[in-house]
Structures are given as structure tokens and as C-alpha cells.
Amino acid sequence: MTRYRLGSFLFLIYILVGLYVAWIYDYITPALLKDVAEALLATFLWFVLLLGGDLHLG
């Protein structure tokens, strides 16, 4: 069990460092994060869209 936790922890650190590096080199921008957030909202709240709601942020 400890080995599994260590592997998961190292994978999480790897992902976080990758996100940080992508942010520093402008591969991830606030506009991209906004677009991803809108896409996730539309995916999980699709019924609001069908009822005529607007999920655009800002």
C-alpha cells in the first residue's frame, strides 16, 4: 500500500510541475483556463443549455 501511495504522490508532483512549466512558458493562459471552465460547465450542466441558459463566463 505504501508503494502505491508513493507512486501516486510522485505522479501528482510530476503533473503539478508540468502545469507550472506550461504556465511559465505561456502554454496555459487565463483565456485557455476560461475556455476549459466554460466547456466543463457546458458538459456537466448541459440541461441548462437546453433550457435556454447561458454558461459563458464574463
Side-chain angles (χ1 to χ4, degrees), residues 5-55:
R5 285 186 185 173
L6 179 62
S8 295
F9 180 70
L10 290 176
F11 182 70
L12 177 64
I13 296 297
Y14 181 83
I15 295 298
L16 290 175
V17 170
L19 286 171
Y20 176 75
V21 170
W23 182 269
I24 293 298
Y25 285 94
D26 291 329
Y27 288 102
I28 298 175
T29 62
L32 175 68
L33 294 177
K34 180 183 168 198
D35 291 342
V36 169
E38 286 178 351
L40 288 173
L41 280 173
T43 300
F44 291 111
L45 299 175
W46 56 268
F47 55 89
V48 174
L49 296 173
L50 293 177
L51 294 173
D54 185 18
L55 297 177

